[in-house]
Amino acid sequence: MSDNINSRTTRRQQKDTMQKKPGRKMPQGLFKKILMAIVIFGLVVLVGGASLFAYYASTAPDLDEELLKDPLTSNFLTKDGDIFLKFGTEKRDFVPYDEIPQQMKDAILATEDVRFFQHGGVDFYRLGGAVLANFRSGFGSQGASTLTQQVIKNSFLKDEKTLKRKAQEAWLAYKLEKEYTKEEIFEMYFNKVLMSGNRYGFGTGASYFFGKKLNELELSEMAMLAGMPQYPNGYNPFKYPERAEKRRNIVLTLMNRHGKISTEEMEAAKKVPVTSTLLSEDERETFSKYPAYVDAVLDELEAEGYADLLAEGVTVQTALDPKAQEAVEAAINDPSYYESEDMQAGMTVLDTKKGTIVALGGGRNYSGRNLNFAEQNRQPGSVIKPILAYGPAIEELNWSTGQKVVDEPYKYKGMDKSINNADGRFLGTLTMREALYYSRNVPAVKTFEKVGGKKAEAFAAKLGLAYDDISSGHALGGGTAQFSTVQMAGAYAAFGNGGIYTKPHTVTKITLRDGKTVKNLRPDPVTAMKDSTAYMITDVLRDVLTSYGTAEKAAISGMDIAGKTGTTNYPADIMRKENMKSHYVPDTWFTGYTTEYTISTWGGYADYKTPITTYDYGRYVPQKLFKAVMTKIASNPGEFIQPDSVEEAAIVKGSDPIVLASSFTYSNLVRNELFVRGTLPAKQAIPKKVSIPSPSNMTAQFDANSNSIALNWNYDASKKYDSLGSPSFNVSVSIDGGAYQSITKTNAQSAVFSGAEFGRSYTFSVTATMGGYTSGSATATLSLAGSSSPVTKEPIIKEPDGDTEEPIEVPGDPNDEDNDSEQNDQNNQGQDNSNGQEQEGQNNNQGQDSAGNQEQSNQGNAEQEGQGNQGQGNQDQSPISPTPEAPPAENN
């Protein structure tokens, strides 16, 4: 035991010895030096900061009583320098302090500056919290401005987050508190603050929004007004009622937290809908001239932090072209374009090269009382295909416009969800050019997936279109991403401007009262894509306005125009709930451009669930408005010039890799296509036949004994196809208008479908495959009526037609209930016979649709028209015309 004691004693002595070894303790002299250095550094910072503050304060403007109390009139100028709006004091009702209701004061103070009557102009307690927040999140992330500082900022200083401005603001706030009483300062703030548009002061706000005097306002109305100064135009309840109500409820919560109202009063006021006490539309004041454009200017100034300058008598130089604006308003207000009195439209006109907004159409008879449809966001439909699919493919993969793509039954990558085209058909082998101007859905998704979501998203971002969690469904204009005509015009203008993108803007310059100019108001142009990509997309989009494209109604004779149509559709659950017909859609688009102007137009209804039900007076509204406006405003647009980075060559359509055409190539297979310079194939070759005939005369016969349906079809391929081998056939079925599902693959010209059920409608499709090439399809429809005898429809080969988007929902959405099935209503009785033969580019298809809502193509034109149309389609031939098996259709 003594040994253990000695051991413990020894260990304790060793530990004490080690703790006393030199070097384990900081020398006292070094500690003093470090402490002294910290103190000196702090003094230097303090003295430096004080000196900088003194310098900034010495450069601050003098207090001007006139500016403190009355905002001055600002002038808005057209692009030519003419005044089109005097913006200012005529929209201001002055209210003295003693006439302001106490509850109105409480609402403002609880929201903006609860310690207003305790501080001396700068609230150091609140400032400390803001400083900590700024250290964590960066300078300017959180403010601590008092009402006094806000009066100073609104009267003398620019709304910018800089040390200089904050120092000057604090100094002038201190001076203001010395020269005026708290009541006088509150009165200045109350009457000077911007409420919305060109309306200043809470008294003006009460009259404008509610048609009341201040002493007539309810608590909920006072709270709404008190919350508006933070974001005046953004919290405008006429335009953004949900946003305004949310902000109002925050104010009510703050009033309760600071003991200004009881919990019962707060809850009762929150239950009042913000729209319930607003003035009706016909009672509201409006701008007398160009209200949609003025709205855009004000929104832009507010977004850039310059809205407060309007109270200082500034001059705002805009890009407004009165001639263009009046043309837009005249066209958009013409009732002859629309299917109903309630249908709406929005339009943006840009200078293609500058990116300036020269005109805006906010809606029919727009007065600023409601939503500006030029700036609203809606799903883009197929307008997005050049941006998310084909543009990135050229930019990233050096695709030619003759790149082979196959329109065939296909599912989203990694998902058990089929993609449909609007016409329910698959056109087989196409070029990229054809896939885009026909607006086929399957090739667009395939192309998007080939490029990759990240690269497609990056391409769109450079054009001002932001995506979150992008997926294949976005390539068809669906999903949660929504854009405005302003954004879409900006993106397309880059295609017309050699790949240079400039953010759309209305304001080019602001001149202060002293003659100085506020800089950096023109967004910097950026290179969004190669000029080769821009031109090649433009060249394809020219074809959209031809007889075999989808926007022939937008074409103007003799004018070089490129553009793209777009249509969205409803999810299946909404269509069922609202009992909608299959051709009903919510949105229709057209965005087109010349070297001079870019115009994006949207058509639809303010209520998303109100559908567009017709074609000529519904879906074609954007095309017709585009044509009306472009015809009036175009002065002398030139042609798009092919850059040196692009070269043209004749190729064999469908060859993969691409083969240059030779003198031995069948003429109907020759296509003149564009290439990024340096990617042209090295040599010519004599290709095999690559475009194969489609099956024809498909029939469907029901056998009640076996509940099966016997399918038969004809297939006639001439000897020139022998080198491709024997044909095989892929048979698919769509049940009750649902997505096509493959039944079988066979070498015979017949098949059997088992398990047929009464009360259902079956549409069968068959395509041929030879030598790796896929043909177009033939279809037949059979309806089994209840438990009675089946209603047998004549065999049909439906011509691709229509202008309807594939599903608007992103694939994989848990709320998506097979939206594809709503896209192609096959419960029509019809007849369509095709010889299925290719005869040196000639194809004679005849079709009849007695119950559908689709117009068959005429001379290659496959736009959807009104209901119950009948027609015949004959395929035109040209160097870039579609194959005989691929008549045009849009699937927006």
Side-chain angles (χ1 to χ4, degrees), residues 66-74 87-90 92 154 191-193 200-201 310-313:
E66 181 181 351
L67 290 179
L68 285 169
K69 294 190 175 181
D70 292 325
L72 301 178
T73 299
S74 291
F87 187 100
T89 57
E90 69 277 3
R92 173 181 169 274
N154 294 341
N191 289 289
K192 192 174 184 64
V193 68
Y200 294 89
L310 295 176
E312 300 180 25

Side-chain angles (χ1 to χ4, degrees), residues 60-334:
D62 295 329
L63 294 178
D64 185 329
E65 186 171 357
E66 181 181 351
L67 290 179
L68 285 169
K69 294 190 175 181
D70 292 325
L72 301 178
T73 299
S74 291
N75 294 324
F76 284 20
L77 307 183
T78 69
K79 69 181 184 65
D80 296 322
D82 299 321
I83 297 174
F84 71 92
L85 176 67
K86 287 186 173 291
F87 187 100
T89 57
E90 69 277 3
K91 299 297 181 183
R92 173 181 169 274
D93 298 327
F94 181 83
V95 181
Y97 180 82
D98 56 8
E99 293 182 13
I100 303 173
Q102 184 58 47
Q103 204 164 49
M104 185 79 246
K105 298 175 186 175
D106 292 340
I108 294 171
L109 293 174
T111 306
E112 297 291 338
D113 188 1
V114 72
R115 289 166 43 82
F116 174 69
F117 285 96
Q118 282 75 49
H119 62 66
V122 177
D123 189 346
F124 292 100
Y125 176 81
R126 187 177 173 192
L127 180 62
V131 169
L132 292 176
N134 290 331
F135 270 118
R136 290 192 298 266
S137 306
F139 181 72
S141 61
Q142 180 174 318
S145 294
T146 63
L147 289 187
T148 311
Q149 290 173 286
Q150 291 185 53
V151 169
I152 293 298
K153 181 190 69 174
N154 294 341
S155 301
F156 305 108
L157 305 175
K158 291 188 292 185
D159 188 12
E160 56 185 9
K161 293 179 178 179
T162 64
L163 286 172
K164 178 180 180 180
R165 200 269 288 172
K166 296 300 292 186
Q168 292 179 339
E169 181 184 284
W171 171 247
L172 292 176
Y174 171 77
K175 290 181 64 178
L176 188 65
E177 291 271 353
K178 294 298 182 181
E179 297 186 23
Y180 295 89
T181 66
K182 286 286 187 180
E183 291 75 14
E184 288 174 323
I185 295 171
F186 188 91
E187 182 184 275
M188 293 173 191
Y189 172 81
F190 191 86
N191 289 289
K192 192 174 184 64
V193 68
L194 178 65
M195 298 304 295
S196 183
N198 65 340
R199 294 162 184 90
Y200 294 89
F202 289 96
T204 309
S207 174
Y208 177 62
F209 292 111
F210 304 109
K212 296 180 180 180
K213 296 181 180 179
L214 283 170
N215 58 10
E216 298 172 336
L217 295 176
E218 302 294 333
L219 172 60
S220 62
E221 296 167 335
M222 294 181 188
M224 193 209 78
L225 293 176
M228 290 190 66
Q230 184 188 72
Y231 189 11
N233 291 315
Y235 290 138
N236 185 330
F238 291 155
K239 298 182 179 182
Y240 311 106
E242 293 182 1
R243 193 187 296 170
E245 187 166 305
K246 183 177 180 181
R247 175 62 177 165
R248 179 204 65 182
N249 291 344
I250 291 175
V251 174
L252 290 169
T253 299
L254 290 171
M255 292 180 72
N256 173 255
R257 181 180 301 168
H258 294 299
K260 305 299 183 181
I261 57 174
S262 66
T263 301
E264 292 75 15
E265 289 175 310
M266 176 187 69
E267 295 298 338
K270 285 185 177 181
K271 292 179 181 179
V272 179
V274 76
T275 56
S276 63
T277 59
L278 295 175
L279 283 176
S280 62
E281 285 193 23
D282 57 358
E283 294 177 303
R284 300 171 191 171
E285 299 176 15
T286 64
F287 295 114
S288 59
K289 202 169 187 180
Y290 312 144
Y293 197 90
V294 173
D295 271 354
V297 172
L298 296 176
D299 288 342
E300 187 174 314
L301 290 173
E302 187 167 295
E304 297 297 327
Y306 294 114
D308 291 334
L309 290 178
L310 295 176
E312 300 180 25
V314 299
T315 299
V316 180
Q317 177 66 62
T318 77
L320 174 70
D321 182 341
K323 176 185 174 183
Q325 182 66 33
E326 289 162 11
V328 168
E329 292 178 3
I332 214 168
N333 291 330
D334 186 342

Side-chain angles (χ1 to χ4, degrees), residues 520-688:
N520 299 323
L521 287 181
R522 290 179 181 269
D524 294 329
V526 296
T527 300
M529 69 189 88
K530 303 170 188 173
D531 61 353
S532 53
T533 302
Y535 180 78
M536 291 167 70
I537 288 293
T538 295
D539 191 60
V540 175
L541 295 184
R542 284 164 158 163
D543 293 335
V544 173
L545 285 87
T546 62
S547 61
Y548 42 82
T550 58
E552 187 179 8
K553 294 182 185 298
I556 301 172
S557 179
M559 194 176 296
D560 194 6
I561 304 173
K564 184 70 184 73
T565 53
T567 310
T568 65
N569 70 353
Y570 289 104
D573 58 342
I574 290 181
M575 297 192 75
R576 286 193 296 267
K577 183 178 179 180
E578 303 295 330
N579 196 27
M580 293 182 181
K581 295 182 180 180
S582 61
H583 66 277
Y584 286 6
V585 298
D587 307 289
T588 180
W589 291 78
F590 180 72
T591 301
Y593 56 98
T594 68
T595 58
E596 188 177 19
Y597 292 112
T598 299
I599 301 178
S600 182
T601 309
W602 166 90
Y605 290 85
D607 182 357
Y608 169 76
K609 292 184 179 180
T610 301
I612 300 169
T613 62
T614 64
Y615 288 80
D616 197 46
Y617 291 96
R619 295 200 191 183
Y620 295 146
V621 166
Q623 294 183 46
K624 293 179 178 180
L625 291 177
F626 171 90
K627 183 173 183 177
V629 173
M630 186 66 83
T631 300
K632 286 186 178 180
I633 68 175
S635 55
N636 187 26
E639 293 187 354
F640 298 104
I641 305 301
Q642 180 174 312
D644 292 338
S645 58
V646 175
E647 54 186 324
E648 184 175 7
I651 70 163
V652 178
K653 184 208 168 184
S655 54
D656 189 15
I658 292 175
V659 174
L660 295 179
S662 71
S663 59
F664 298 97
T665 306
Y666 288 108
S667 60
N668 65 300
L669 295 181
V670 176
R671 296 290 185 270
N672 290 328
E673 299 294 352
L674 301 179
F675 293 80
V676 177
R677 187 168 294 279
T679 65
L680 201 66
K683 61 181 180 179
Q684 295 181 330
I686 302 176
K688 295 180 179 180

Side-chain angles (χ1 to χ4, degrees), residues 766-780:
V766 58
T767 60
T769 301
M770 283 196 298
Y773 299 104
T774 302
S775 75
S777 61
T779 60

Side-chain angles (χ1 to χ4, degrees), residues 657-848:
I658 292 175
V659 174
L660 295 179
S662 71
S663 59
F664 298 97
T665 306
Y666 288 108
S667 60
N668 65 300
L669 295 181
V670 176
R671 296 290 185 270
N672 290 328
E673 299 294 352
L674 301 179
F675 293 80
V676 177
R677 187 168 294 279
T679 65
L680 201 66
K683 61 181 180 179
Q684 295 181 330
I686 302 176
K688 295 180 179 180
K689 190 69 178 174
V690 294
S691 182
I692 64 174
S694 299
S696 63
N697 299 329
M698 187 180 193
T699 62
Q701 184 66 42
F702 177 65
D703 184 345
N705 295 324
S706 61
N707 283 346
S708 62
I709 299 174
L711 305 173
N712 292 276
W713 57 89
N714 295 336
Y715 193 74
D716 187 3
S718 62
K719 292 183 179 180
K720 61 185 178 183
Y721 298 102
D722 289 349
S723 62
L724 298 180
S726 300
S728 62
F729 304 94
N730 182 34
V731 185
S732 302
V733 63
S734 169
I735 304 175
D736 293 334
Y740 277 94
Q741 301 178 26
S742 180
I743 299 174
T744 185
K745 292 185 178 180
T746 178
N747 294 327
Q749 295 181 29
S750 62
V752 176
F753 174 76
S754 302
E757 299 176 7
F758 288 107
R760 292 202 159 188
S761 176
Y762 298 89
T763 298
F764 299 94
S765 172
V766 58
T767 60
T769 301
M770 283 196 298
Y773 299 104
T774 302
S775 75
S777 61
T779 60
T781 297
L782 182 68
S783 295
L784 303 183
S787 60
S788 305
S789 299
V791 178
T792 305
K793 298 183 179 180
E794 295 296 328
I796 60 172
I797 302 177
K798 288 186 67 64
E799 294 300 322
D801 48 13
D803 187 23
T804 305
E805 181 54 64
E806 183 23 35
I808 63 172
E809 297 171 300
V810 177
D813 190 323
N815 297 318
D816 184 359
E817 300 178 8
D818 194 12
N819 187 34
D820 293 346
S821 65
E822 299 296 326
Q823 193 52 228
N824 184 29
D825 186 356
Q826 297 290 350
N827 296 324
N828 296 324
Q829 295 184 3
Q831 185 172 350
D832 189 353
N833 298 311
S834 174
N835 60 12
Q837 297 293 320
E838 181 181 287
Q839 302 172 0
E840 291 301 311
Q842 301 299 319
N843 185 37
N844 299 315
N845 292 326
Q846 295 181 342
Q848 178 176 328

